[in-house]
Amino acid sequence: MATSGKQIKVEIEVDGQVREELYDRVLVAVGRVPNAADLGLENTKVTSDDKGFIKVDANQRTTDESIYAIGDIVGGILLAHKAFREGRIAIETITGESTTAAKFIVPAVVFTDPEVAWCGLTEAEAKTRGITVEVAKFPWGASGRAMTLDRTDGLTN
């Protein structure tokens, strides 16, 4: 990032092509930390990692078998829909229902203009792991949502 007058110049790389965009503001948010100081966990067998996130097993059970934890307090991806899935796993475990606690894919989005979203492995991550990928592209001009927003520039890759 650099400045250009009163704007911020950002270089964006898409499909190997670098382009510059100018913005009035750029928000950089880093360093979210767990907020568990006033939960009384010192009176339980619950343990945390070195960053303060509560340790849980695949069924969201903490090291204190009577306490479950979900969401931001357990770390990983800090998104509400991830916490919702973890909550479901915990409830199914508590009630004795069959649960699939295996790793699940969490879609993510950055609400920028244009929006950026992803789900699962990136093409580069798949190649690093030796997974063969096929890349498909869907032009936003064919998307009903994009047309209603009059934003048909872009694509899904």
Side-chain angles (χ1 to χ4, degrees):
M1 286 191 301
T3 57
S4 177
K6 291 186 176 187
Q7 292 188 304
I8 300 164
K9 186 183 338 179
V10 178
E11 289 185 357
I12 301 170
E13 182 179 342
V14 178
D15 294 331
Q17 304 264 338
V18 177
R19 70 174 200 252
E20 290 183 354
E21 297 282 342
L22 293 174
Y23 297 93
D24 296 325
R25 294 176 197 93
V26 174
L27 171 65
V28 179
V30 296
R32 295 194 286 181
V33 295
N35 181 9
D38 61 349
L39 297 179
L41 296 177
E42 65 278 1
N43 301 316
T44 70
K45 296 177 186 172
V46 172
T47 58
S48 302
D49 66 15
D50 59 339
K51 294 182 180 178
F53 293 103
I54 294 175
K55 293 180 183 180
V56 294
D57 65 14
N59 289 17
Q60 303 307 127
R61 186 180 294 115
T62 68
T63 48
D64 185 320
E65 291 190 15
S66 64
I67 300 175
Y68 290 73
I70 66 166
D72 293 358
I73 197 68
V74 301
I77 299 169
L78 307 180
L79 296 170
H81 48 283
K82 182 264 240 176
F84 178 86
R85 178 70 176 119
E86 291 171 340
R88 184 171 177 167
I89 291 168
I91 290 167
E92 288 173 350
T93 301
I94 292 165
T95 59
E97 295 180 44
S98 174
T99 186
T100 304
K103 281 227 175 224
F104 49 92
I105 296 172
V106 180
V109 65
V110 177
F111 294 102
T112 56
D113 187 15
E115 290 182 357
V116 178
W118 62 95
C119 188
L121 296 175
T122 65
E123 183 179 358
E125 289 169 331
K127 285 182 180 179
T128 300
R129 295 182 185 185
I131 301 170
T132 304
V133 296
E134 181 178 329
V135 177
K137 297 183 181 196
F138 179 80
W140 284 7
S143 163
R145 180 174 189 264
M147 286 189 280
T148 62
L149 297 172
D150 197 26
R151 292 299 304 268
T152 56
D153 54 328
L155 60 93
T156 299
N157 189 358

